[in-house]
Amino acid sequence: MADTPKSDKIDMKTLAKVLNVSIATVSKALRDSHDIGPETKLKVIEAARKLNYVPNPYASSLRKKASNTIAIIIPEIADSFFSQAINGIESIVAIKKYHTLIYLTHDSYEREAYMFGELASGRVDGVIMSVASNTEDTSHIKTLQQAGVPVVFFDRVFNDLNSVKITTDDLNSAYVATNHLLDASCKNISLVTIKGYPSILSAREQGYKQALAERGVQPKESGVVTCSNKYNNENVEVIKEHLRLQKPDGIIATVEHLATSTYLACNELKLNIPRDVKVVCFTNQITAPILNPPLTTILQPAFDMGKKAAQLLFDHLAGKAVENNKEIVLPSTLVIRESSIMELLN
Amino acid sequence: MADTPKSDKIDMKTLAKVLNVSIATVSKALRDSHDIGPETKLKVIEAARKLNYVPNPYASSLRKKASNTIAIIIPEIADSFFSQAINGIESIVAIKKYHTLIYLTHDSYEREAYMFGELASGRVDGVIMSVASNTEDTSHIKTLQQAGVPVVFFDRVFNDLNSVKITTDDLNSAYVATNHLLDASCKNISLVTIKGYPSILSAREQGYKQALAERGVQPKESGVVTCSNKYNNENVEVIKEHLRLQKPDGIIATVEHLATSTYLACNELKLNIPRDVKVVCFTNQITAPILNPPLTTILQPAFDMGKKAAQLLFDHLAGKAVENNKEIVLPSTLVIRESSIMELLN
DNA sequence: GTGAAAGCGCTAACAG
DNA sequence: CTGTTAGCGCTTTCAC
C-alpha cells in the first residue's frame, strides 16, 4: 500500500551470476585482493557500480567482527563545548570512513551504564566518551574494555581507569581566571558551579581555591554557589540570593549556561558588570563578545580535544602502540573582555 | 601485548549448552515468545543475565533485515537549532530503544550523497534529515526511499519529494518580524542572509519582501546582504560595508551566527542598537537575553520539530498509516527584546 | 588466478 | 511447548 516499491536488492550472489564468476571472486575483487587479476577486478567493480551494488554492512560486520563504527557517549549536546568537540571527532571519523553512533546520557549514570551494555557484542569498534556527572562506579566501562573495545575519554575523565584521556587544564585555567580577577582588584570572589562532575568541576574549584589561598585569601565555603545542572530560572534565583547575602565582587561561572544565569541575576539586582561584579565564565559560546558587557571567557579547545580523542582511538584501532594510560592536556585560554576589566573603556 | 584480555564472548550456543536446551529455545525465550513455558523462560533469562549475555546486534540485523537504528543527517551540529532538534529526536529514540547514527554534511551535496549511499543495504531503518544548502539533485534521497527506507525531513525540506516534512512557518515569521520592525518605525530594513538554502532562507526572504510590499515599501535588491555560510570575520566586513552604503535602520538576520556578525559590525561602526539600527535574528541561542542589547529573536521550536520528526518516523516504521506527503508546520515565536524596541527603557 | 564451502550469531519456519 | 534446520550476505581458508 505504501508507495515504496522495494527495488530489487542486488547482492554479491546476483553480481556473481551476472558476471559469470564466483561469489568469492566478487568479494575479493571488491576488497582489492591481491589474488584477483586486474581485468577481472575492473569488470567486477564496473558491474558493481553500474548495478548500484552496496555491500550489506551487517553481514560484513558479522563475519569480520568489526563494525567500522564508533560511539560517542556524552552528557548533552545542546552545549557549545560538546557540539564543537563532536565536530572535531567527526573531522577524523569522516576521513576514516567510519560511522558514528551517538548517545546522550543526560548526565545519568543509569543511562550511561545501559548504553554501555548495548555496546557489548561488537556494535562498535571503539568509544569516545565524557562521563556523566553522577557516575561513580566504573564497572560498565571496564567490562567493555575487557571485551576488547577501546574507550577514549575526553573532558570528563576517570583517573582510575586505564585508558587514554584528553583533557584541558581545568585547575590551572580556574587558577588563572581567579588571579585575573584578583588582579582586577576583586576582594570577594565566588565560584558559581554545579554539584557532581567529579573530575572536572572539582579541578576548577581547586584552582580557584588555590589561587585565593596563595594570595592570602582564605577561601570560605560560602563562596561556592551550587546550581542545578539544567538551564532554568531556579539558578537565577540561587545566584541572586547569593549576590544579596555574600555580595561578591567577582564571579567565576564554571559551565556555559551559568553565564546566562549570572548575567540575568546581576541585571535583576541592578548590579553593574564589571563595576559591581566582575565575571568570568568557562564557555565556548560565540556570542561572548556581544554580551552586555562582552564576557571574559575561558575558551576550551573543544574541537581539538575531540579531534585528538578520535585520532588516538583510531591509532589504537589500527594496532599502533598507544600508551595505555596516556593523558593529553590541551590548554584552555583566558580571553579577556569587558566583563572583568577594571577601568571602563570610555 | 595490550592488556585487553578478550573475555570469553558468550553467545546463544554456549547459553543453550549450559542450560541444556536448544538454541532456538534460548532465542525465543529471550524475545519473550509465546510458545515458551514460563519456567523455561525464567531459567533462560536468569542464565543470560548471570553470564552477561549480550546478543550480537549485527547477526540479528542480518537475519531480521532490521537494524533498530536510524540516521540523522544534518548540515552542522555546532548550532543551537540543530543541537536542540537532536535532543528532540533523541527523546523519542531513547524510548524506542533504537540507535542513532549521526552524519554531518557540512552543507555539501557531495558528502550528503555519499552518506546516503552508505545507508543503502539496510544500515538504518529510517532517516531524519535536514538537507544541505547546495543540494539540488534529489536522486540520492529517492533511491533510498525506493529501497524502502523512510526519510523524514525537518527544517530544510524538499517540496518535490514525497515524504513527511516538519517545518516551521519561516515565511510568516519573517513577515511578522518585518512588520514588527516597520511598527518600530524602521524605514529601511535590510535582510542579512546566506546564499543557497533553497527552501528555508528564500521563504524568510519572501516573508520579508511581502511585508515590505504590503506596507508600500518597494523591496530593493540592495536590501539583501549575502554572507558566507561559515562563522568568520569576513561576514562582519560584508555587513559593515552594507551598513555604510545602505544605511539601514533595521536588520533581520536569518541565521544564528549572523547575529554575532551583525552586532560586531554595528559596534565597530559605533552604531547603536536599537537607536540607529534595530535588529531581529532567527536564533535559539540561550544568550539572547543577555546580549548588548538583549536580542529580539524568532525562536524556532527546535526540540519539538525533532521530536515530531522522530515520532512520525517511528509511526511509519511501526506500519501505522502515515500520510505520505504530510507536512507539519510548527509555529515559531517572535520574542521581543530591546534590540528592536523604539523607546529605550530608561 | 579462481571457486567451493564453511560459518560469523541469530531468527523463523516447520516438525515433532 | 521444544528442537531441527535452513538461511540472512558476506569473508576466508583451502583446494584446484
Side-chain angles (χ1 to χ4, degrees):
Chain A
M1 53 203 83
D3 59 348
T4 47
K6 260 69 171 175
S7 77
D8 316 280
K9 275 271 175 281
I10 97 126
D11 57 11
M12 278 194 175
K13 201 153 65 180
T14 63
L15 208 52
K17 204 169 290 167
V18 168
L19 287 165
N20 253 309
V21 293
S22 86
I23 174 173
T25 304
V26 174
S27 174
K28 287 178 193 161
L30 291 176
R31 340 205 80 253
D32 203 24
S33 157
H34 279 298
D35 54 41
I36 297 291
E39 337 68 83
T40 330
K41 223 177 253 181
L42 235 75
K43 235 176 43 186
V44 173
I45 291 169
E46 184 59 17
R49 217 187 36 67
K50 205 171 294 171
L51 296 180
N52 238 307
Y53 168 71
V54 181
N56 181 312
Y58 297 145
S60 148
S61 292
L62 178 58
R63 184 60 234 252
K64 290 197 300 185
K65 297 187 170 310
S67 61
N68 282 258
T69 303
I70 66 160
I72 299 179
I73 302 182
I74 51 174
E76 48 174 331
I77 196 161
D79 173 289
S80 52
F81 173 78
F82 284 118
S83 54
Q84 288 168 23
I86 290 174
N87 267 332
I89 295 171
E90 196 263 353
S91 73
I92 300 297
V93 171
I95 292 169
K96 301 287 182 183
K97 300 202 180 305
Y98 261 58
H99 299 260
T100 309
L101 285 166
I102 190 155
Y103 298 93
L104 306 180
T105 63
H106 298 292
D107 262 324
S108 147
Y109 162 71
E110 286 71 27
R111 294 191 215 193
E112 185 179 285
Y114 169 75
M115 285 157 183
F116 266 81
E118 291 288 302
L119 298 186
S121 282
R123 191 183 289 275
V124 297
D125 299 340
V127 174
I128 297 177
M129 84 171 301
S130 198
V131 303
S133 58
N134 65 339
T135 295
E136 277 162 21
D137 178 15
T138 60
S139 57
H140 57 301
I141 304 177
K142 281 184 193 137
T143 302
L144 195 68
Q145 290 179 316
Q146 275 158 18
V149 180
V151 178
V152 171
F153 291 89
F154 76 101
D155 197 46
R156 305 200 201 157
V157 308
F158 264 118
N159 286 320
D160 60 319
L161 277 173
N162 200 37
S163 62
V164 178
K165 305 171 192 74
I166 319 288
T167 56
T168 180
D169 52 349
D170 286 292
L171 190 149
N172 185 250
S173 302
Y175 177 85
V176 167
T178 309
N179 271 311
H180 166 67
L181 287 180
L182 289 166
D183 291 343
S185 78
C186 289
K187 305 288 177 227
N188 184 17
I189 302 173
S190 292
L191 189 79
V192 176
T193 188
I194 286 178
K195 255 200 198 60
Y197 297 80
S199 58
I200 164 173
L201 293 197
S202 72
R204 293 178 189 174
E205 188 169 335
Q206 260 183 272
Y208 154 78
K209 288 184 171 163
Q210 192 175 310
L212 289 184
E214 277 182 20
R215 297 281 205 106
V217 184
Q218 199 45 250
K220 30 179 195 174
E221 270 320 309
S222 60
V224 177
V225 193
T226 305
C227 290
S228 118
N229 206 347
K230 273 177 291 191
Y231 172 64
N232 60 25
N233 228 21
E234 232 173 79
N235 288 338
V236 177
E237 294 306 319
V238 171
I239 296 168
K240 274 164 72 178
E241 184 67 9
H242 178 84
L243 285 165
R244 266 193 294 256
L245 294 177
Q246 304 295 333
K247 307 210 180 305
D249 56 3
I251 283 184
I252 298 177
T254 59
V255 307
E256 165 163 329
H257 67 261
L258 291 178
T260 303
S261 304
T262 301
Y263 268 54
L264 289 174
C266 289
N267 286 351
E268 291 180 21
L269 295 181
K270 307 239 179 285
L271 290 170
N272 178 281
I273 304 171
R275 199 193 55 220
D276 304 321
V277 187
K278 303 197 195 324
V279 179
V280 179
C281 182
F282 282 80
T283 176
N284 284 33
Q285 284 166 138
I286 63 167
T287 49
I290 60 168
L291 296 190
N292 182 23
L295 174 62
T296 295
T297 60
I298 291 150
L299 224 206
Q300 296 171 269
F303 184 93
D304 289 333
M305 287 170 74
K307 184 172 171 184
K308 196 77 201 168
Q311 279 170 334
L312 287 170
L313 179 60
F314 280 107
D315 282 354
H316 191 118
L317 291 178
K320 281 188 204 158
V322 177
E323 194 194 319
N324 235 326
N325 226 340
K326 190 164 191 139
E327 191 164 350
I328 294 182
V329 182
L330 300 177
S332 289
T333 49
L334 178 71
V335 181
I336 299 175
R337 300 200 183 85
E338 221 179 294
S339 71
S340 66
I341 270 177
M342 202 159 23
E343 314 293 314
L344 286 173
L345 308 161
N346 47 341
Chain B
M1 53 203 85
D3 59 348
T4 48
K6 260 73 170 174
S7 75
D8 315 281
K9 275 273 174 280
I10 98 127
D11 57 12
M12 278 194 175
K13 201 153 63 181
T14 63
L15 208 52
K17 204 169 291 169
V18 168
L19 288 164
N20 252 311
V21 293
S22 85
I23 174 175
T25 304
V26 175
S27 173
K28 287 179 194 158
L30 291 176
R31 341 206 77 253
D32 202 26
S33 156
H34 280 297
D35 51 43
I36 297 290
E39 336 70 84
T40 329
K41 224 178 252 181
L42 235 74
K43 235 177 41 187
V44 173
I45 291 170
E46 185 58 18
R49 215 186 37 67
K50 205 173 291 172
L51 295 181
N52 237 304
Y53 167 71
V54 182
N56 181 312
Y58 297 145
S60 146
S61 292
L62 178 59
R63 184 61 235 249
K64 290 197 300 184
K65 297 185 169 313
S67 60
N68 282 258
T69 303
I70 66 160
I72 299 179
I73 303 182
I74 51 173
E76 47 175 332
I77 196 160
D79 174 287
S80 51
F81 173 78
F82 284 118
S83 53
Q84 288 169 22
I86 290 173
N87 266 333
I89 295 171
E90 196 264 353
S91 73
I92 300 296
V93 171
I95 292 170
K96 301 287 181 182
K97 301 203 179 304
Y98 261 58
H99 299 261
T100 307
L101 284 166
I102 190 156
Y103 298 93
L104 306 180
T105 63
H106 298 294
D107 261 323
S108 145
Y109 162 70
E110 286 71 28
R111 294 192 215 194
E112 184 179 286
Y114 169 76
M115 286 155 182
F116 266 81
E118 291 288 301
L119 297 187
S121 281
R123 190 182 290 274
V124 297
D125 298 341
V127 175
I128 296 177
M129 83 172 302
S130 199
V131 303
S133 58
N134 66 339
T135 294
E136 277 162 20
D137 180 15
T138 60
S139 57
H140 57 301
I141 303 175
K142 281 184 193 138
T143 302
L144 196 68
Q145 290 179 317
Q146 275 158 18
V149 180
V151 178
V152 170
F153 291 89
F154 76 100
D155 197 45
R156 305 199 202 158
V157 308
F158 264 119
N159 285 319
D160 60 320
L161 278 172
N162 202 36
S163 61
V164 178
K165 304 171 191 75
I166 318 289
T167 56
T168 179
D169 52 350
D170 287 292
L171 191 150
N172 185 249
S173 302
Y175 177 85
V176 167
T178 309
N179 272 311
H180 166 66
L181 288 181
L182 288 167
D183 291 342
S185 79
C186 289
K187 304 287 177 228
N188 184 17
I189 303 172
S190 292
L191 188 80
V192 177
T193 187
I194 285 178
K195 255 200 198 63
Y197 297 78
S199 57
I200 166 175
L201 293 198
S202 71
R204 293 177 189 175
E205 188 169 335
Q206 259 182 273
Y208 154 78
K209 287 184 173 164
Q210 190 176 314
L212 289 184
E214 277 180 20
R215 296 283 204 104
V217 185
Q218 199 45 250
K220 30 179 195 176
E221 269 321 308
S222 60
V224 177
V225 193
T226 306
C227 291
S228 118
N229 206 347
K230 274 176 292 194
Y231 173 65
N232 60 25
N233 229 20
E234 232 173 79
N235 288 337
V236 178
E237 293 307 319
V238 171
I239 297 168
K240 273 164 71 179
E241 184 67 11
H242 178 83
L243 285 165
R244 265 194 295 258
L245 293 178
Q246 305 294 333
K247 307 207 178 308
D249 55 4
I251 283 185
I252 298 177
T254 59
V255 306
E256 165 163 329
H257 67 260
L258 291 177
T260 304
S261 304
T262 300
Y263 268 54
L264 289 175
C266 289
N267 286 352
E268 291 181 20
L269 295 181
K270 308 239 181 283
L271 292 170
N272 177 280
I273 303 172
R275 199 194 55 220
D276 304 321
V277 188
K278 305 197 193 326
V279 179
V280 179
C281 183
F282 283 80
T283 176
N284 285 33
Q285 284 165 139
I286 63 168
T287 49
I290 61 168
L291 296 190
N292 182 22
L295 175 62
T296 295
T297 59
I298 292 150
L299 224 208
Q300 296 171 269
F303 184 93
D304 289 332
M305 286 170 75
K307 184 173 172 185
K308 196 76 200 168
Q311 280 170 333
L312 287 170
L313 179 61
F314 281 106
D315 282 354
H316 191 120
L317 292 177
K320 280 189 206 157
V322 176
E323 193 194 321
N324 235 326
N325 225 340
K326 189 163 190 139
E327 191 164 350
I328 293 181
V329 182
L330 301 176
S332 289
T333 50
L334 179 71
V335 181
I336 298 176
R337 300 198 183 85
E338 220 179 295
S339 72
S340 66
I341 270 177
M342 204 159 25
E343 314 294 315
L344 286 173
L345 310 162
N346 48 339

